[in-house]
Amino acid sequence: MTTDIVIPRIDLPFAVSQKHPLQDRLYPATLEWARRFGLVTTEAAAERLRRYRLELCSYYAPTVDSGPALQLLTDWITWAVVFEDQIDEATAGLRPNLLAPALDEFRAILRDDPGMPAPSNPAVAALADLWKRTAPDSGPQWRQRFYDHVSDQFRAELRASIHRATRTPMDTATCTELRAKTGWVTFTHDLQHHIHRVWVPDTVYCSTPYQTLLWSAADILMWTNDLFSYTREAAFGELNNLAIVLRTEQGLTPQQAVDRVHTMIDERVADFVKAGRELPDLVRSLQLPPDALLAAEHGLTHLRTLVRGSYDWHLRCERYHHGPDIAANLPTLDDLFGITQDAPGANTEFSPAKERGQAK
């Protein structure tokens, strides 16, 4: 059974995303890349990936005319999408004791640890390829910032997996913290800087206006995702969804919870707009060189395209389209992390197919 809800329109004061001239080339090349590294092994998996409309990642870089740069961005986000599927709907999200070492293996790739063994699973192999294509063309400061953000993402994913495995509900404060950190927003913004050849110095990046821009953008993106994914995730018993948490914590109906999240999104849009107005004055008051002011302006533009592009992607992608019985059609996913239910030390009390297939 599904619950009917109406997702209110989200008003964003930024121009609607436009089709990129190179957009149509992105998905075929990304699908070939995903097949080459074993992220996609069946036609069903290819169709699943197609429904994401990953070519719309071009919304995040509307002025970039480099095919390789856009392809790199699209491939990175494809890896992140596959990662999320493994966490949210496959075995990994219910096996924190096995997920933790898998995440450490990913970190080792991004640290360029010496003496790394051959990739042990498709996700590691694909990540190693992405890092090989990215790291040589980036500075040490960017690499450190990117590593720190991805590592924080992994920690948040592990925390969320512990809630799932132990069936421990989240409160609103925990959910809002984890949603911001598990949404790949800092990761995507770092990649925007990389492909645009922009470095926002720490004196700007760590300022209150810029951090408000970054984390209000994260909240807008992830709470919007929670609205579009509500019906699907409620059917799967997902915990890391703000509308589901508010419904449970405050005794709301599904529509009341959705409307409350919508109001919270409006408030964060106002925070974003206010911080955007404050940023130029802050940069000037720091008496930074002209290139720092220009970098701040670029960063603000990138965050605006990220917020608007993500919303337009949600409106166009087919990821959250569903039939009348979502739980009955939960797909079986390949184990791309090397985590299996019968692996030594696995917590076999919970079965993803069983637990996620029960409507709550």
Side-chain angles (χ1 to χ4, degrees):
M1 296 293 293
T2 62
T3 300
D4 291 329
I5 59 169
V6 176
I7 300 174
R9 175 188 173 86
I10 298 172
D11 293 320
L12 298 172
F14 315 125
V16 175
S17 305
Q18 300 298 315
K19 180 176 179 178
H20 195 286
L22 301 177
Q23 177 179 306
D24 292 340
R25 305 179 189 179
L26 296 174
Y27 177 69
T30 286
L31 178 60
E32 189 280 328
W33 175 81
R35 289 186 189 277
R36 179 154 46 95
F37 287 95
L39 299 178
V40 168
T41 59
T42 65
E43 289 308 310
E47 172 61 15
R48 181 184 181 86
L49 200 64
R50 184 199 66 77
R51 290 168 62 83
Y52 272 105
R53 298 294 307 278
L54 290 162
E55 68 275 11
L56 301 184
C57 294
S58 58
Y59 285 169
Y60 305 147
T63 62
V64 170
D65 59 5
S66 165
L70 282 173
Q71 195 64 61
L72 181 63
L73 174 66
T74 306
D75 291 351
W76 267 111
I77 295 178
T78 299
W79 188 89
V81 162
V82 171
F83 178 101
E84 283 302 309
D85 279 349
Q86 292 290 297
I87 296 289
D88 292 346
E89 296 181 16
T91 306
L94 294 171
R95 303 289 183 271
N97 56 327
L98 299 177
L99 177 60
L103 298 177
D104 283 341
E105 192 170 4
F106 297 147
R107 287 189 180 95
I109 294 291
L110 301 180
R111 287 194 305 262
D112 293 315
D113 284 359
M116 286 288 295
S120 61
N121 58 64
V124 170
L127 181 61
D129 174 75
L130 289 168
W131 195 235
K132 186 184 301 183
R133 292 159 57 192
T134 304
D137 197 29
S138 61
Q141 292 174 304
W142 183 89
R143 292 196 297 272
Q144 184 63 54
R145 185 181 286 174
F146 185 74
Y147 173 82
D148 290 343
H149 286 154
V150 175
S151 190
D152 284 347
Q153 166 98 19
F154 290 164
R155 291 189 187 95
E157 296 284 6
L158 187 60
R159 284 179 59 193
S161 78
I162 293 169
H163 277 272
R164 293 187 189 99
T166 60
R167 311 292 291 172
T168 304
M170 296 182 186
D171 58 25
T172 301
T174 299
C175 183
T176 53
E177 178 190 359
L178 292 183
R179 290 306 285 145
K181 292 181 178 179
T182 57
W184 301 99
V185 175
T186 54
F187 156 95
T188 305
H189 190 43
D190 289 340
L191 290 171
Q192 285 181 309
H193 291 337
H194 178 74
I195 68 171
H196 285 92
R197 317 309 301 160
V198 169
W199 171 252
V200 178
D202 285 346
T203 45
V204 174
Y205 193 88
C206 296
S207 69
T208 296
Y210 204 93
Q211 288 295 299
T212 300
L213 286 164
L214 183 65
W215 293 108
S216 59
D219 289 341
I220 295 164
L221 266 65
M222 298 319 297
W223 299 349
T224 297
N225 181 267
D226 287 348
L227 298 184
F228 280 84
S229 64
Y230 175 87
T231 301
R232 179 184 180 86
E233 293 185 342
F236 290 170
E238 177 58 69
L239 301 174
N240 192 18
N241 179 302
L242 182 57
I244 292 172
V245 168
L246 288 172
R247 185 199 69 193
T248 303
E249 190 175 72
Q250 300 181 16
L252 304 176
T253 66
Q255 188 63 52
Q256 287 173 332
V258 164
D259 291 343
R260 176 60 186 136
V261 172
H262 179 259
T263 298
M264 293 171 69
I265 292 171
D266 283 345
E267 292 167 351
R268 290 304 268 160
V269 171
D271 291 339
F272 184 98
V273 172
K274 180 175 181 289
R277 294 194 188 108
E278 294 172 349
L279 184 65
D281 288 341
L282 180 282
V283 174
R284 281 190 288 268
S285 72
L286 293 172
Q287 298 183 335
L288 297 174
D291 61 337
L293 177 58
L294 184 60
E297 292 172 351
H298 284 316
L300 175 57
T301 297
H302 298 161
L303 284 167
R304 286 171 175 159
T305 60
L306 187 56
V307 170
R308 181 75 227 195
S310 176
Y311 182 52
D312 291 337
W313 172 81
H314 276 91
L315 293 174
R316 290 166 174 77
C317 90
E318 302 170 35
R319 170 71 169 105
Y320 305 110
H321 296 183
H322 53 77
D325 191 347
I326 303 171
N329 294 303
L330 180 65
T332 300
L333 300 180
D334 291 339
D335 173 18
L336 304 180
F337 285 7
I339 296 175
T340 59
Q341 293 185 52
D342 56 355
N347 176 357
T348 56
E349 181 179 353
F350 300 105
S351 165
K354 179 180 178 182
E355 295 297 327
R356 296 199 193 284
Q358 290 181 339
K360 302 298 175 184

